[in-house]
Amino acid sequence: MNPTSVVDTIVQEITIKGSAGRIFEALTDPGQRVKWWGSEGRFQTTHMESDLRPGGKWMMRGNGMGGKPFRVTGEYRQIEPPRLLVFTWLPDWQEDAIESVVRFDLKEEAGVTTVRLTHSGLASESSRTSHKGWPQILTWLQGYVERQG
């Protein structure tokens, strides 16, 4: 994984042995997302709702550190299966949270896909600090897709 940082942006990249279609499905299907987005003792997603269309809303909730409930909401901006997914992100665990944008770019070559995540609009230091978990989330995605085949 190669982290890059621009003032209000987090960029992470990971290579996953799996098709872009399979990864796109794991990112967008609520039943699959709750299986891999989280880890016991850290935070775990327990529920996701998704209206997968531009302008459609999504919501994810679960339990964070110490069992504290969390909720993230957003709206889909761009959906181009299996190569691009862009949505807004508004977490409830951050007091000064403002809506930011998460973008997944998927590029497949010979059954291996490079996933590039760009989280932009993180205007405050606290918002950047509270979103340093992306490398772990991408690792969970990788493990899920590579286990499922």
Side-chain angles (χ1 to χ4, degrees):
M1 260 184 276
N2 304 316
T4 311
S5 189
V6 177
V7 177
D8 74 339
T9 303
I10 294 170
V11 178
Q12 293 289 321
E13 206 170 88
I14 193 167
T15 303
I16 299 175
K17 292 177 192 137
S19 71
R22 176 71 193 92
I23 294 163
F24 192 88
E25 190 178 281
L27 287 167
T28 57
D29 175 40
Q32 290 186 52
R33 191 177 299 178
V34 298
K35 290 179 181 174
W36 64 266
W37 194 297
S39 173
E40 200 170 331
R42 180 115 189 250
F43 62 86
Q44 280 188 292
T45 299
T46 58
H47 180 80
M48 184 189 176
E49 295 173 12
S50 175
D51 181 8
L52 188 63
R53 62 182 175 81
K57 306 281 189 220
W58 69 273
M59 183 274 298
M60 187 168 65
R61 69 174 180 257
N63 299 305
M65 299 290 259
K68 184 179 180 190
F70 73 83
R71 179 180 161 114
V72 185
T73 58
E75 180 179 298
Y76 293 107
R77 294 272 174 89
Q78 288 181 271
I79 303 165
E80 297 173 20
R83 60 175 206 80
L84 178 66
L85 180 66
V86 181
F87 51 85
T88 61
W89 176 275
L90 187 61
D92 71 352
W93 66 80
Q94 185 190 334
E95 286 183 30
D96 64 346
I98 57 169
E99 191 173 74
S100 54
V101 177
V102 175
R103 176 185 177 111
F104 284 93
D105 289 282
L106 287 74
K107 185 176 179 188
E108 181 182 348
E109 202 169 300
V112 176
T113 302
T114 299
V115 178
R116 182 181 188 91
L117 169 123
T118 306
H119 191 165
S120 59
L122 300 169
S124 69
E125 183 60 37
S126 65
S127 66
R128 288 186 295 279
T129 300
S130 72
H131 289 94
K132 291 199 181 218
W134 285 116
Q136 183 65 64
I137 291 167
L138 291 175
T139 299
W140 292 329
L141 172 63
Q142 178 186 38
Y144 176 76
V145 169
E146 290 181 358
R147 274 192 313 275
Q148 302 296 311

